[in-house]
Amino acid sequence: MTKLRSVKGMNDILPEEMPRWHRLERELTRVFALHGYAEVRTPVLEKTALFTHSIGEATDIVNKEMYTFVDKGEESLTLRPEGTASCARAYLEHSAGERQPVNKWFYVGPMYRRERPARGRYRQFYQAGVECYGDPGPYVDAEMIDMSVSLLAALGITEVRVLLNSLGGKETRARYREALKAFFEPHREALSAESQTRLELNPLRILDSKSLTDQEICQGAPPILDFLGPEDVEHFDGLRAALDALGTPYEVDPSLVRGLDYYTRTLFEVQTTSDELGAQSALLGGGRYDGMTEELGGKATPSVGFAMGLERLLLMMPVTEEPTTLDAFMITAGSELRSQTLVLAKELRAAGLRVDADLRGGSVKSQLRRASKTGARFALLLGEGEVARGVVQLKDLVAHEQRDLPLAEVARELAALVAAG
Ligand code: ATP
Ligand code: MG
């Protein structure tokens, strides 16, 4: 049989990479919790209609990136390409809004999009995101944007830029759509094939085109900010004033539209200014989608959120020394003592010490080599002589010192040494 490999664009995360992942996940959980966000977990599979309804038919995600299949001839299911739609469904399904006027949720998990893999772009990737339901903003929008920048800073990612825009409400979008249609019509032939289709379906998406010719044409397009109604303007001004008060730098970018259809008013993206990620410079993006819950058949609920790609953050996080995962490695001199090693290891683990041993046996030398490879600070050696004297030999692998410890005191002594660092 030919060697089986993982599905294209879907990566294994090996144990040696996990400390960085855990650090990232710990940090984001901490920062989200500081701001009152609680975790929610939703299934990776949803009914396809959830995404076509909320994300929008004319988006890249729905058009070409979804992993969709018919489940045993019964119904069409899709591996979630993002988390916002699932959260909104769960929020409505469990009537969360009836228990609390404002719900602040966060999630972390794998997402699936069938796109061309590149550095920082995969077919299975991890996103963490937040959703706030029940607050029309703009103060909570500002708090959220500021939180995202604080989180990046806590991760050591400081070369960032916040882009901000407002799309206005439904009517604004409709008027803007017509204006864009009129603007692009004379350029129709020059637009990419994809954008020609967008011209019919959703001309706003042309502004998000990755084609250079399209981008050049877009330079002359009327900015959405000119189309905002008075209440939209008030919302956007309020957001900017709150960000100023928080001292969060941002740039207003009227060309920011982003991939999804469901946004209203606030729209933001945080990009890295380093060229580390090339075209994948967007670290996180989000905005307000006040119409989404209604679109999904529920009560209208103002909502705002963002999602960030964990792999991209990991690529940007500075390399730091990760703490060792073991406190002590046990060495058995004489294979017949392995049961005793097991018993002592169990005792140490019961005391909260992280302990491993080479239970295959073998020479002391080879076990010592393994001990230092694990990064454990201490090794514990158990041989005939030690057993006869009721002790175990403690080796400090960093200081290269050793001494005997009475068996009954190993757990307490070792715990004290580990705590002392
Ligand atoms: P891009 O313009 O890079 O395709 P997007 O607009 O599709 O991003 P969103 O749908 O808003 O991105 O997702 C939010 C974040 O999730 C992105 O900013 C990025 O960090 C991450 N992300 C999106 N798609 C991928 C992917 N295929 N692989 C890895 N990370 C991704
Ligand atoms: Mg994309």
Side-chain angles (χ1 to χ4, degrees):
M1 193 175 156
T2 51
K3 222 192 240 164
L4 289 175
R5 311 190 112 248
S6 72
V7 175
K8 181 178 174 188
M10 304 209 178
N11 303 315
D12 300 308
I13 306 166
L14 297 176
E16 55 265 34
E17 301 169 67
M18 283 327 286
R20 264 171 89 70
W21 280 83
H22 285 157
R23 187 151 62 82
L24 169 56
E25 287 164 13
R26 250 196 330 270
E27 208 50 35
L28 67 89
T29 305
R30 185 183 71 82
V31 173
F32 291 162
L34 283 177
H35 292 78
Y37 287 84
E39 185 172 3
V40 60
R41 294 193 188 183
T42 62
V44 292
L45 266 184
E46 295 274 0
K47 295 181 181 174
T48 303
L50 174 66
F51 303 114
T52 49
H53 273 60
S54 60
I55 300 175
E57 305 268 7
T59 59
D60 283 352
I61 292 184
V62 170
N63 258 336
K64 44 186 194 195
E65 295 175 359
M66 294 206 305
Y67 285 95
T68 297
F69 65 97
V70 177
D71 180 21
K72 302 268 186 242
E74 281 170 14
E75 63 182 333
S76 179
L77 300 179
T78 294
L79 277 168
R80 62 178 182 194
E82 50 107 62
T84 294
S86 308
C87 284
R89 178 201 49 70
Y91 172 86
L92 292 173
E93 191 164 331
H94 304 284
S95 309
E98 280 162 33
R99 290 193 297 279
Q100 292 191 65
V102 174
N103 283 269
K104 286 169 127 180
W105 289 4
F106 82 88
Y107 60 85
V108 189
M111 306 293 161
Y112 302 85
R113 296 184 195 177
R114 198 173 195 293
E115 38 188 347
R116 189 200 296 268
R119 183 172 164 80
R121 188 178 299 284
Y122 313 102
R123 291 182 170 183
Q124 174 180 285
F125 60 100
Y126 284 77
Q127 271 186 347
V130 299
E131 309 288 342
C132 175
Y133 301 102
D135 186 331
Y139 297 96
V140 77
D141 309 30
E143 178 187 71
M144 187 177 277
I145 293 169
D146 179 65
M147 172 173 76
S148 74
V149 176
S150 305
L151 171 56
L152 294 176
L155 296 169
I157 306 173
T158 49
E159 286 179 274
V160 297
R161 150 169 87 205
V162 178
L163 301 180
L164 195 64
N165 195 15
S166 175
L167 292 183
K170 233 182 175 159
E171 290 96 79
T172 305
R173 289 278 289 269
R175 276 189 290 127
Y176 187 51
R177 197 188 158 101
E178 289 317 307
L180 279 182
K181 259 195 168 149
F183 168 78
F184 283 118
E185 197 54 56
H187 302 284
R188 175 185 283 274
E189 298 305 315
L191 287 170
S192 66
E194 208 172 352
S195 286
Q196 292 187 18
T197 321
R198 290 174 177 145
L199 191 48
E200 311 306 330
L201 294 172
N202 186 355
L204 231 89
R205 299 281 343 280
I206 301 176
L207 301 177
D208 202 22
S209 170
K210 301 233 153 72
S211 137
L212 291 178
T213 338
D214 288 358
Q215 285 177 5
E216 217 159 276
I217 297 171
C218 289
Q219 298 279 318
I224 179 124
L225 295 175
D226 291 353
F227 290 76
L228 299 185
E231 287 180 2
D232 297 333
V233 170
E234 197 184 322
H235 196 274
F236 196 44
D237 286 348
L239 169 59
R240 285 188 293 176
L243 284 173
D244 291 339
L246 287 165
T248 311
Y250 60 87
E251 297 160 35
V252 174
D253 178 1
S255 67
L256 180 69
V257 284
R258 304 183 31 73
L260 315 182
D261 247 6
Y262 49 50
Y263 291 107
T264 49
R265 294 193 166 160
T266 309
L267 196 63
F268 63 96
E269 186 164 290
V270 181
Q271 301 180 342
T272 168
T273 49
S274 93
D275 24 347
E276 188 70 24
L277 296 180
Q280 280 66 247
S281 63
L283 298 176
L284 62 93
R288 180 163 281 288
Y289 19 86
D290 293 344
M292 165 128 45
T293 51
E294 240 178 336
E295 199 66 42
L296 294 175
K299 199 172 146 204
T301 311
S303 323
V304 59
F306 72 77
M308 55 194 197
L310 299 196
E311 288 85 352
R312 290 189 194 178
L313 298 185
L314 286 162
L315 286 168
M316 294 310 300
M317 277 162 58
V319 177
T320 51
E321 203 172 312
E322 300 298 341
T324 62
T325 49
L326 279 184
D327 296 318
F329 195 86
M330 298 191 57
I331 293 165
T332 319
S335 292
E336 54 301 335
L337 293 175
R338 278 177 288 181
S339 285
Q340 263 136 299
T341 295
L342 272 184
V343 172
L344 180 55
K346 179 171 171 156
E347 216 175 279
L348 298 177
R349 288 165 183 153
L353 293 158
R354 299 167 303 171
V355 173
D356 198 6
D358 196 335
L359 296 172
R360 301 171 306 171
S363 73
V364 167
K365 204 170 149 199
S366 72
Q367 292 180 61
L368 258 175
R369 248 198 322 267
R370 270 204 70 201
S372 42
K373 249 191 163 165
T374 63
R377 163 89 186 270
F378 299 102
L380 293 170
L381 186 132
L382 196 68
E384 296 291 353
E386 282 77 18
V387 172
R389 281 180 285 132
V391 299
V392 64
Q393 191 186 106
L394 172 81
K395 287 177 176 296
D396 185 326
L397 298 175
V398 176
H400 300 291
E401 290 165 0
Q402 53 199 57
R403 64 188 159 106
D404 285 349
L405 284 179
L407 269 174
E409 283 166 36
V410 183
R412 197 170 43 80
E413 280 270 345
L414 190 60
L417 286 170
V418 167

